[in-house]
Amino acid sequence: MSGIKKEEENMKIYKLFLLFFSFLFTFVGFSQSKEKILILDEEKAVNIALKRNWDVLIKDEKLKEAHAQLLKVWSKVFPQISSFCTYQRYNDHPFINYSDNKGYGFSVDQVIFNAQVFNAIRAAHPFLNSVKKERSEQLNAVIFEVKKAFLYSLIAQKSLEVTQNALNLARKYLKTTKIRFENGEASDYDVLRAEVEVKNLEYRFLKAKSVYETSLNYLKLLLGINPQEKLKIKGKVKFKRFKKDFTHLIKFALNRRPLIKAIEFKEESLKHNLSAVKSEFFPSLALNFQDMANEKETFAFNREKYEDYWILTLRLNFPIFEGGLRFFKVKEARAQLKQIKLLKEKTISGIKIEIKNVLLNLESAKKEVEATQSNVKDAKRMYEIIYKRYLEGEASYLDILDARNTLLVSQLNNLQALFDYNLSLLKLRYLTGENLEKSGGNL
């Protein structure tokens, strides 16, 4: 009996161990699966992209470079101080009777007037502002692509849900048809057609699932996320009505589009650059101060060892002829200025055309959304009526099939129209220079 009791106790201990380890593995597995799923909304996706995007990082370094260039041209205004030491060795000099000489001193140069330096400083400030606007434009471009990809993923997700619902309806109908067939109220042909319809929708569901997963993979690539990481997105596809006209939108674009502002700052910078090139050949005034001492001085009498002295020089420089360099430099600077003016005209013209085209697409998509929303309501009501009539024996299988396909197509058309409308609205916000980092729009 004691042996049996001992065996029973061992079994209890064994079961407790099994229960403990099964609970541990379940907890660890749940924790791991939970850690692998990254849930993203639009705002979080944008934040990840801005931290990891290579183009944004490059623009950050470009901004640092432009700031350093500004400080570099400013440095020419401040005194330039240098120190020096000398050692001279003489061999059979005709009138110096010592063999070597040592000395030391320092020199200070200060610009009093130099038009080239001052115009270069004036050119550096708008150049820095231009780089800042280029960075803003790049930020908006990255955010636009991320929001576009996120919107596409949301539509793909909704399309998958719609297809899943259609498949569920087909399976429900198949189950109902089989019951009616057993009761002698439906033919084997009806059952066969219902099974074929389920298979067709299963294929359509797999295709929709593939499109959804592909859209998530592209979003991962855009955000720099590991392709093996599981990703879920959340959000709603909204329909916000838009009323601004072309004139207002062009005004918005000209006033706040970073790309246009960047070109305008570059134009200002090149104007000052042209002035700097012209003033390079203007007279300049500089002050030089030197304090020095030598161990021995040539032609010096009654001087102590290393007795120092200083020299103050005021230098006025007049450029006279430099082989036509001034003419060609000015010609080059004028050509650069003309290029940026033409680029500005081209950019503004292109933006106007893009805004006009987007407005046309937006108006068309708006009508499609309104029409498809009404179609979805009618298709749902139609399917409910036909299904009820089918159960009462007043409608055929073809009526059910037609109503279900109409519902599915109207729902998918509505999602496509919502995608087109929201994408056009997003593009319009980008073209007019709105800060896309904000979640809402103020067009």
Side-chain angles (χ1 to χ4, degrees), residues 254 343-355:
L254 296 178
L343 178 61
K344 179 183 175 181
E345 293 176 5
K346 176 186 174 183
T347 302
I348 292 175
S349 177
I351 289 175
K352 288 180 178 179
I353 292 174
E354 284 186 290
I355 289 176

Side-chain angles (χ1 to χ4, degrees), residues 185-399:
E185 298 174 355
S187 65
D188 56 349
Y189 175 78
D190 291 337
V191 175
L192 185 61
R193 287 295 300 269
E195 289 176 344
V196 170
E197 182 64 16
V198 169
K199 293 293 182 182
N200 288 337
L201 285 172
E202 284 177 347
Y203 166 74
R204 198 162 186 170
F205 172 76
L206 290 174
K207 190 174 181 180
K209 187 178 180 180
S210 176
V211 171
Y212 173 60
E213 291 176 350
T214 302
S215 69
L216 288 184
N217 287 335
Y218 177 69
L219 190 59
K220 290 177 185 177
L221 178 64
L222 206 58
L223 302 184
I225 297 174
N226 189 341
Q228 303 300 323
E229 189 170 359
K230 291 184 179 180
L231 181 65
K232 283 186 178 182
I233 60 173
K234 61 179 182 178
K236 294 182 179 180
V237 183
K238 299 179 181 179
F239 178 50
K240 294 182 178 179
R241 299 186 182 275
F242 178 78
K243 296 181 179 179
K244 289 289 188 296
D245 59 15
F246 178 74
T247 305
H248 284 88
L249 293 173
I250 293 299
K251 186 177 179 180
F252 285 155
L254 296 178
N255 288 336
R256 66 185 185 185
R257 179 74 187 271
L259 180 60
I260 296 177
K261 293 297 181 182
I263 295 174
E264 288 176 345
F265 279 124
K266 276 187 178 179
E267 183 181 4
E268 183 183 352
S269 177
L270 287 174
K271 286 180 181 178
H272 292 306
N273 182 63
L274 176 60
S275 300
V277 171
K278 290 179 179 179
S279 58
E280 183 179 345
F281 301 92
F282 291 173
S284 60
L285 183 64
L287 184 68
N288 174 260
F289 173 79
Q290 292 186 12
D291 186 49
M292 60 187 71
N294 288 321
E295 183 181 19
K296 304 181 182 71
E297 283 289 349
T298 308
F299 309 116
F301 303 95
N302 300 321
R303 284 176 58 86
E304 297 181 1
K305 186 177 181 180
Y306 290 113
E307 185 177 357
D308 67 335
Y309 60 95
W310 57 268
I311 302 174
L312 181 65
T313 306
L314 187 64
R315 180 183 178 88
L316 182 61
N317 184 50
F318 289 90
I320 297 175
F321 180 71
E322 297 188 31
L325 180 63
R326 176 183 182 275
F327 173 78
F328 296 116
K329 279 190 171 185
V330 169
K331 189 175 182 180
E332 179 187 26
R334 282 176 176 164
Q336 291 174 347
L337 182 58
K338 182 64 176 178
Q339 288 177 45
I340 205 69
K341 287 181 177 180
L342 292 173
L343 178 61
K344 179 183 175 181
E345 293 176 5
K346 176 186 174 183
T347 302
I348 292 175
S349 177
I351 289 175
K352 288 180 178 179
I353 292 174
E354 284 186 290
I355 289 176
K356 192 170 185 179
N357 290 339
V358 173
L359 274 177
L360 292 173
N361 294 335
L362 191 66
E363 185 62 28
S364 174
K366 175 187 174 183
K367 294 178 180 178
E368 289 179 5
V369 171
E370 292 171 345
T372 54
Q373 283 179 341
S374 177
N375 287 343
V376 169
K377 292 179 182 178
D378 294 342
K380 284 181 179 179
R381 187 167 176 270
M382 183 177 71
Y383 180 80
E384 291 170 357
I385 293 172
I386 291 297
Y387 189 75
K388 185 178 180 180
R389 291 179 61 189
Y390 175 76
L391 294 178
E392 295 173 354
E394 297 177 0
S396 66
Y397 165 77
L398 292 178
D399 294 328

Side-chain angles (χ1 to χ4, degrees), residues 11 33 41 48 50 53 70 128 138 142 146 166 199 229 233-234 248 295 312 323 343 352 385 396 428:
M11 285 297 294
S33 63
D41 57 12
I48 292 175
L50 294 182
N53 186 267
L70 175 62
L128 176 61
Q138 186 63 59
V142 170
V146 172
K199 293 293 182 182
E229 189 170 359
I233 60 173
K234 61 179 182 178
H248 284 88
E295 183 181 19
L312 181 65
L343 178 61
K352 288 180 178 179
I385 293 172
S396 66
L428 203 56

Side-chain angles (χ1 to χ4, degrees), residues 26-260:
T26 303
F27 177 77
V28 172
F30 175 75
S31 300
Q32 289 177 347
S33 63
K34 196 172 181 180
E35 289 176 354
K36 289 181 180 178
I37 299 176
L38 176 61
I39 301 175
L40 281 182
D41 57 12
E42 187 183 78
E43 184 178 356
K44 190 173 181 180
V46 168
N47 290 335
I48 292 175
L50 294 182
K51 290 178 182 177
R52 302 185 182 186
N53 186 267
W54 293 107
D55 293 327
V56 174
L57 295 176
I58 290 172
K59 287 297 181 184
D60 288 340
E61 296 304 317
K62 184 70 176 177
L63 186 58
K64 293 178 183 177
E65 179 188 356
H67 192 262
Q69 288 178 356
L70 175 62
L71 296 178
K72 183 174 69 174
V73 294
W74 264 107
S75 66
K76 296 180 181 180
V77 177
F78 300 105
Q80 310 294 311
I81 304 174
S82 61
S83 61
F84 59 88
C85 4
T86 61
Y87 175 78
Q88 295 170 311
R89 181 74 180 177
Y90 301 102
N91 184 23
D92 299 329
H93 197 278
F95 55 83
I96 295 178
N97 56 9
Y98 44 84
S99 60
D100 59 3
N101 187 17
K102 296 183 284 292
Y104 62 88
F106 72 93
S107 175
V108 179
D109 291 285
Q110 174 63 56
V111 172
I112 304 297
F113 173 78
N114 191 320
Q116 181 189 4
V117 173
F118 299 146
N119 281 304
I121 292 173
R122 295 174 68 188
H125 282 282
F127 179 76
L128 176 61
N129 292 330
S130 172
V131 175
K132 289 179 180 179
K133 292 299 179 181
E134 286 178 356
R135 183 182 180 277
S136 298
E137 179 72 20
Q138 186 63 59
L139 282 175
N140 257 8
V142 170
I143 296 171
F144 171 76
E145 290 299 327
V146 172
K147 290 195 171 189
K148 178 182 175 181
F150 193 87
L151 174 63
Y152 183 76
S153 297
L154 273 181
I155 293 295
Q157 186 184 62
K158 301 301 180 184
S159 299
L160 181 62
E161 292 173 3
V162 166
T163 310
Q164 176 72 72
N165 291 335
L167 179 59
N168 292 338
L169 288 175
R171 286 171 176 169
K172 178 183 177 183
Y173 169 74
L174 175 60
K175 185 178 180 181
T176 303
T177 305
K178 285 181 177 181
I179 293 174
R180 296 190 68 206
F181 174 73
E182 292 173 357
N183 295 334
E185 298 174 355
S187 65
D188 56 349
Y189 175 78
D190 291 337
V191 175
L192 185 61
R193 287 295 300 269
E195 289 176 344
V196 170
E197 182 64 16
V198 169
K199 293 293 182 182
N200 288 337
L201 285 172
E202 284 177 347
Y203 166 74
R204 198 162 186 170
F205 172 76
L206 290 174
K207 190 174 181 180
K209 187 178 180 180
S210 176
V211 171
Y212 173 60
E213 291 176 350
T214 302
S215 69
L216 288 184
N217 287 335
Y218 177 69
L219 190 59
K220 290 177 185 177
L221 178 64
L222 206 58
L223 302 184
I225 297 174
N226 189 341
Q228 303 300 323
E229 189 170 359
K230 291 184 179 180
L231 181 65
K232 283 186 178 182
I233 60 173
K234 61 179 182 178
K236 294 182 179 180
V237 183
K238 299 179 181 179
F239 178 50
K240 294 182 178 179
R241 299 186 182 275
F242 178 78
K243 296 181 179 179
K244 289 289 188 296
D245 59 15
F246 178 74
T247 305
H248 284 88
L249 293 173
I250 293 299
K251 186 177 179 180
F252 285 155
L254 296 178
N255 288 336
R256 66 185 185 185
R257 179 74 187 271
L259 180 60
I260 296 177

